[in-house]
Amino acid sequence: MITAVYPGSFDPATYGHLDIIKRASISFDRVIVGVLHNSAKSPLFSVEERVKILKEATKDLPNVQIDSFSGLLVDYAREKDLHVIVRGLRAITDFEYELQMAQTNRMLSHGKIDTVFLTTSLEYAYLSSSAIKQIASFDGDITPCVPDFVADLIYDKYRQKKLSENSDV
Ligand code: ADP
């Protein structure tokens, strides 16, 4: 039985991420989506919120499990006895960074962990969480990019941000 781990920030999950999860769930017996708790970044959604969003969005995929981790991915993988990492590749611009990450993780795990890349479905190739957040912050339409319940949560976040900024002045 092969379990793959799909790590990322998922701040928040987009249709691009969900497409990779769905396809990985067909190729592997089990997929663990690992939401990275990265204290260096200031995310829009907390780890708990990102986990909750992913759980809801993948509730129809029985072999997909959502978890969170902090620290090195190889340490998390070793702890869970996982040997395959899944990452999505959108364009050539992702490649250099992803190649470096894959080789680093292989080195750190002494060759025990390999990375498998799934190329994005063309209709989602342009999607990124950061672009979606930027569009939503200006009240643009993000409904083609994320499930409706996620779009509502993103708009709510920016509404709250604007309210707290206005009450500060
Ligand atoms: P990170 O901050 O670790 O890059 P992300 O949440 O941005 O985390 O992305 C997690 C993974 O999903 C990465 O492998 C990224 O290339 C991939 N990904 C992001 N957006 C898409 C998309 N639209 N289609 C396919 N893969 C994607």
Side-chain angles (χ1 to χ4, degrees):
M1 175 155 140
I2 300 183
T3 302
V5 58
Y6 177 36
S9 309
F10 306 106
D11 184 38
T14 69
Y15 279 137
H17 295 129
L18 296 174
D19 174 61
I20 298 288
I21 294 171
K22 201 178 206 168
R23 285 160 54 204
S25 77
I26 296 167
S27 297
F28 297 100
D29 299 300
R30 200 161 64 106
V31 176
I32 299 179
V33 182
V35 179
L36 177 63
H37 181 72
N38 184 349
S39 51
K41 284 190 183 174
S42 54
L44 183 64
F45 291 95
S46 67
V47 176
E48 293 75 21
E49 288 171 323
R50 283 178 271 154
V51 166
K52 205 169 156 199
I53 288 171
L54 277 160
K55 280 190 176 164
E56 175 63 25
T58 60
K59 65 179 182 211
D60 295 330
L61 301 172
N63 62 339
V64 172
Q65 206 180 307
I66 315 298
D67 196 8
S68 63
F69 72 99
S70 51
L72 289 177
L73 174 62
V74 287
D75 290 336
Y76 173 76
R78 196 176 300 128
E79 195 184 295
K80 299 258 168 187
D81 198 24
L82 305 172
H83 303 275
V84 180
I85 296 168
V86 168
R87 293 283 286 180
L89 275 185
R90 278 166 292 192
I92 198 78
T93 43
D94 278 342
F95 183 76
E96 206 170 305
Y97 171 73
E98 292 293 343
L99 180 70
Q100 190 183 25
M101 289 280 292
Q103 288 171 340
T104 304
N105 285 327
R106 206 170 137 70
M107 179 275 290
L108 287 174
S109 67
H110 305 287
K112 290 202 174 83
I113 301 176
D114 252 314
T115 303
V116 170
F117 294 106
L118 294 182
T119 54
T120 181
S121 296
L122 282 180
E123 67 262 48
Y124 304 127
Y126 67 95
L127 284 183
S128 76
S129 298
S130 47
I132 289 165
K133 285 183 281 192
Q134 203 168 12
I135 298 166
S137 73
F138 293 110
D139 265 333
D141 183 13
I142 55 167
T143 52
C145 312
V146 291
D148 286 350
F149 81 95
V150 182
D152 289 343
L153 291 169
I154 300 172
Y155 288 128
D156 275 352
K157 281 278 181 196
Y158 284 107
R159 227 169 277 134
Q160 283 164 26
K161 266 182 189 270
K162 277 177 196 150
L163 282 176
S164 70
E165 277 163 18
N166 288 342
S167 66
D168 284 348
V169 283

